[in-house]
Amino acid sequence: DQQVKQNSPSLSVQEGRISILNCDYTNSMFDYFLWYKKYPAEGPTFLISISSIKDKNEDGRFTVFLNKSAKHLSLHIVPSQPGDSAVYFCAPQRVGSQGNLIFGKGTKLSVKP
Amino acid sequence: DARVTQTPRDKVTEMGQEVTMRCQPILGHNTVFWYRQTMMQGLELLAYFRNRAPLDDSGMPKDRFSAEMPDATLATLKIQPSEPRDSAVYFCASGLVPWPGELFFGEGSRLTVL
């Protein structure tokens, strides 16, 4: 029973173009969503988050969009850079809960020069 | 610069041997997680603790894995006996609940069981 799905295991994009990474979730109780980025041989690091009271959050080249009715969020990277090549995980939370943090299986992004 | 510290970074061992991985969470965080990263399963939750008390270890093979938190500065994950299928990268992470909040990860312990 996968509560968080990242259906694209990998994505290849040309430098300068847009990267779009998708994440679907099943539990409508989730109301806060985080994206993590992971380089090889390193631990995941927090990238950007969004609350369910918003449908968009932007931080520099990174924008996360949330469609609550579709239980879908996406991470946009514009313009993509070779240094963005990493595995990206989405992780939903329930505000006020003390439960565990479930991650999607990740999408490996490769940005080619 | 607060960070989660994990040891060892790399461990190669033979099947049947005991393996212990250690984690120092960020001071003040009340929740510690152990995750395992495999190619097929992504970041798989093994166990987590709140205020040092184990809350859920349903993700661990009970017969060979054990997780403890003897004090607020140390969490351990032990595998005895280890098997080749345990080869993976094991991550410790700490955070402050209730959510929302960020989870901070260590750099991981890469385990290879021959």
Side-chain angles (χ1 to χ4, degrees):
Chain A
D1 178 25
Q2 275 186 274
Q3 295 192 58
V4 185
K5 292 182 182 179
Q6 293 179 256
N7 290 323
S8 298
S10 63
L11 175 67
S12 183
V13 170
Q14 204 68 32
E15 181 179 6
R17 306 295 291 270
I18 184 170
S19 295
I20 300 177
L21 296 91
N22 295 304
C23 177
D24 295 290
Y25 59 96
T26 56
N27 189 341
S28 59
M29 301 295 287
F30 291 139
D31 50 9
Y32 195 81
F33 304 86
L34 301 91
W35 283 93
Y36 280 77
K37 175 176 170 180
K38 185 188 178 304
Y39 292 119
E42 295 184 12
T45 55
F46 170 73
L47 180 61
I48 191 169
S49 62
I50 187 168
S51 164
S52 62
I53 63 173
K54 297 182 174 182
D55 53 18
K56 175 183 174 181
N57 188 29
E58 190 172 353
D59 183 2
R61 297 184 297 110
F62 301 89
T63 303
V64 57
F65 295 91
L66 175 62
N67 182 333
K68 283 174 289 185
S69 59
K71 296 191 184 68
H72 176 84
L73 60 156
S74 61
L75 174 67
H76 292 212
I77 307 173
V78 183
S80 302
Q81 299 174 354
D84 298 327
S85 298
V87 178
Y88 292 80
F89 295 94
C90 70
Q93 293 177 345
R94 286 179 56 187
V95 174
S97 78
Q98 303 193 33
N100 64 46
L101 196 60
I102 299 170
F103 288 82
K105 292 189 178 182
T107 296
K108 183 176 182 179
L109 174 65
S110 299
V111 181
K112 302 196 181 304
Chain B
D1 184 23
R3 64 176 67 184
V4 176
T5 304
Q6 287 186 248
T7 56
R9 289 296 312 276
D10 277 284
K11 175 75 175 179
V12 180
T13 191
E14 295 196 345
M15 182 173 63
Q17 295 297 306
E18 178 179 302
V19 175
T20 299
M21 289 168 273
R22 294 176 173 80
C23 167
Q24 180 175 1
I26 292 174
L27 190 65
H29 282 181
N30 60 3
T31 305
V32 175
F33 297 82
W34 282 104
Y35 289 92
R36 176 169 63 181
Q37 185 185 20
T38 62
M39 294 295 290
M40 299 302 294
Q41 296 298 325
L43 283 171
E44 179 186 14
L45 178 68
L46 297 176
Y48 71 105
F49 296 79
R50 177 146 321 105
N51 298 319
R52 295 177 52 203
L55 282 194
D56 186 357
D57 61 1
S58 58
M60 295 198 309
K62 296 288 191 311
D63 55 338
R64 299 184 299 107
F65 284 58
S66 61
E68 295 180 346
M69 200 160 175
D71 63 61
T73 65
L74 177 64
T76 62
L77 180 66
K78 187 178 294 186
I79 308 174
Q80 167 63 22
S82 57
E83 297 181 0
R85 59 179 167 154
D86 302 328
S87 298
V89 182
Y90 292 81
F91 289 101
C92 175
S94 71
L96 201 55
V97 296
W99 306 123
E102 182 185 339
L103 203 58
F104 294 80
F105 282 81
E107 293 187 322
S109 294
R110 178 178 295 275
L111 174 65
T112 303
V113 183
L114 303 175

